[in-house]
Amino acid sequence: MKIPSSIWTLLIGILLTLSSLWYGQNHGLLPTAATDEAVLVDGLFNTMMIVSTGIFLLVEGILIYSVIKYRRRADDLEDGPPIEGNVPLEILWTAIPAIIVLGISVYSFEVYNDIGGFDPHSVHEAPMIQESMTMPGAAIAATLSDTPPSIGENRNQEKSDEAMEDPATAAVRNADQIPQKRNAPGVGSVAPTIGGSPEKAALPAELRVNVTGLQYAWIFTYPDTGVTTGELHIPVGREVEINMTANDVIHAFWVPEFRLKQDAIPGRQSEIRFTPRLAGTYDLICAELCGPYHGAMKTQVVVETQEAYDAWMQEQLVASSETLKQAVAVNPADLSPDEFLSPYTRDMGIEPEMLHHMHHQSVE
């Protein structure tokens, strides 16, 4: 009994669909999803994997079938049948990809918007560039460097001043030596924020941490307590707001398990929000080539329970107090600050090279 081609088409379609759905959910290509935002990004990635797998299997299956079915036989010397085309088929295989691309684009925008990546108001707040500036680079250069207050607000300066109210942060950053760029969305000079949903953007985060990138280390300061560390500790289940900038060149705050990346740029204040959902220790990697030792610019993000976080914070406060007392009491006059503080800063997760580099930056 010959099975009709329509039945074969239906069976193959069902098989392709089931195979694509299974692989799209079980590809194992992504690391553990450790934040609420990661779930949104993973949903988009899995959807694209489902569609890509289905298209790959369909196209490759037709190619393999055609190679076998319509191969040239040893005794076949005739020309192939002339085929002029099939307009409905051409419309179909043009319309389906167009619909798929449009659907993924809409889905991507929704995810991007849900994690605070798009601010519709910033488009209308872009400064107007004067038509009298005829030189190709003059308008952009003027907007980036000395935009008049009437044209663009300086949110970078406002956020910098807010962060510098914390003495621990002010001791780490050299913002007084780096002019803060005015907001100019039309040319890319902004104080970017990502991670916070539109609903949460107007509300303060439950925990704020100031992050400073420098060659080749990350320094974390907690404004609420004044603690400074070389690794980031955050409690699980609480929304965290990271305010970051860089003292020298562009760095990038990237934790693969969080699915979020934000640049730390000199002269700009970047923000990233996320809510950790899975306790563990994760690698924080600089994702921008920042110099010859870029590959060594790594530290850890420790996501722990609220009780463990409180205990760790208390330990840091006690250690900072005791370290200060010991430093004042027993520092011999023949040791430099770097040499004397190195055993204490190492206990706090801060390498001596970081202090040495910061000292030279402040001198310069």
Side-chain angles (χ1 to χ4, degrees):
M1 176 181 177
K2 184 178 180 181
I3 300 178
S5 59
S6 59
I7 300 298
W8 276 116
T9 303
L10 178 61
L11 294 176
I12 292 174
I14 293 175
L15 181 60
L16 285 177
T17 302
L18 294 178
S19 301
S20 303
L21 288 172
W22 180 86
Y23 185 73
Q25 301 293 331
N26 299 276
H27 49 75
L29 299 176
L30 297 175
T32 304
T35 63
D36 290 346
E37 292 73 20
V39 176
L40 298 175
V41 177
D42 286 3
L44 173 60
F45 185 85
N46 292 342
T47 299
M48 291 191 293
M49 284 300 300
I50 291 172
V51 175
S52 302
T53 301
I55 294 176
F56 174 81
L57 293 177
L58 178 63
V59 173
E60 295 302 317
I62 293 176
L63 285 175
I64 294 173
Y65 173 80
S66 299
V67 168
I68 297 173
K69 173 72 173 178
Y70 302 105
R71 71 188 185 278
R72 179 181 177 183
R73 302 311 198 267
D75 57 347
D76 185 5
L77 301 177
E78 297 181 359
D79 294 333
I83 300 176
E84 297 182 0
N86 189 319
V87 174
L89 183 60
E90 293 178 1
I91 293 176
L92 182 65
W93 69 38
T94 302
I96 291 179
I99 294 173
I100 291 175
V101 170
L102 180 61
I104 292 179
S105 300
V106 173
Y107 188 11
S108 302
F109 180 81
E110 289 297 325
V111 172
Y112 188 60
N113 190 41
D114 286 343
I115 60 176
F118 175 72
D119 181 7
H121 301 290
S122 65
V123 178
H124 302 289
E125 294 171 1
M128 298 296 294
I129 300 177
Q130 298 179 4
E131 296 180 359
S132 59
M133 297 182 179
T134 57
M135 295 297 291
I140 294 179
T143 308
L144 288 173
S145 59
D146 52 1
T147 306
S150 60
I151 294 181
E153 61 177 336
N154 197 338
R155 289 170 56 193
N156 287 294
Q157 187 64 57
E158 294 174 2
K159 292 181 179 180
S160 176
D161 294 342
E162 181 181 355
M164 296 290 277
E165 291 177 0
D166 172 36
T169 302
V172 173
R173 296 183 176 181
N174 56 358
D176 56 331
Q177 302 176 20
I178 301 178
Q180 301 297 304
K181 302 295 184 183
R182 291 190 179 278
N183 238 33
V187 292
S189 180
V190 296
T193 300
I194 195 171
S197 62
E199 294 76 16
K200 295 182 179 179
L203 302 175
E206 298 178 75
L207 175 65
R208 293 179 60 244
V209 183
N210 293 332
V211 179
T212 305
L214 67 158
Q215 295 173 314
Y216 300 91
W218 297 101
I219 305 255
F220 306 95
T221 52
Y222 294 77
D224 295 337
T225 60
V227 167
T228 301
T229 67
E231 63 181 20
L232 178 61
H233 284 246
I234 50 179
V236 67
R238 294 180 60 187
E239 186 183 36
V240 181
E241 177 184 301
I242 300 292
N243 172 282
M244 72 181 77
T245 190
N247 279 359
D248 36 42
V249 298
I250 298 177
H251 303 279
F253 183 100
W254 180 47
V255 182
E257 290 81 3
F258 292 0
R259 307 292 193 273
L260 297 172
K261 184 183 82 71
Q262 183 67 287
D263 287 345
I265 308 172
R268 302 188 196 176
Q269 305 294 313
S270 305
E271 286 186 1
I272 183 171
R273 284 193 178 199
F274 54 87
T275 304
R277 64 195 301 263
L278 187 63
T281 301
Y282 309 100
D283 290 331
L284 168 58
I285 304 168
C286 177
E288 292 287 349
L289 182 59
C290 57
Y293 299 102
H294 159 72
M297 189 170 173
K298 297 180 180 179
T299 187
Q300 292 182 326
V301 178
V302 181
V303 180
E304 53 198 355
T305 62
Q306 184 66 50
E307 294 76 13
Y309 170 78
D310 293 338
W312 173 84
M313 182 60 70
Q314 189 61 35
E315 290 176 0
Q316 299 304 307
L317 292 171
V318 173
S320 299
S321 177
E322 292 180 353
T323 299
L324 178 60
K325 293 178 182 178
Q326 293 178 15
V328 172
V330 301
N331 185 16
D334 58 341
L335 290 179
S336 69
D338 290 350
E339 293 172 335
F340 177 73
L341 292 175
S342 61
Y344 301 103
T345 55
R346 191 178 298 277
D347 293 338
M348 299 170 62
I350 303 176
E351 297 297 329
E353 292 79 5
M354 294 163 57
L355 290 178
H356 181 72
H357 186 80
M358 291 167 58
H359 172 70
H360 279 281
Q361 279 193 329
S362 63
V363 171
E364 294 173 1

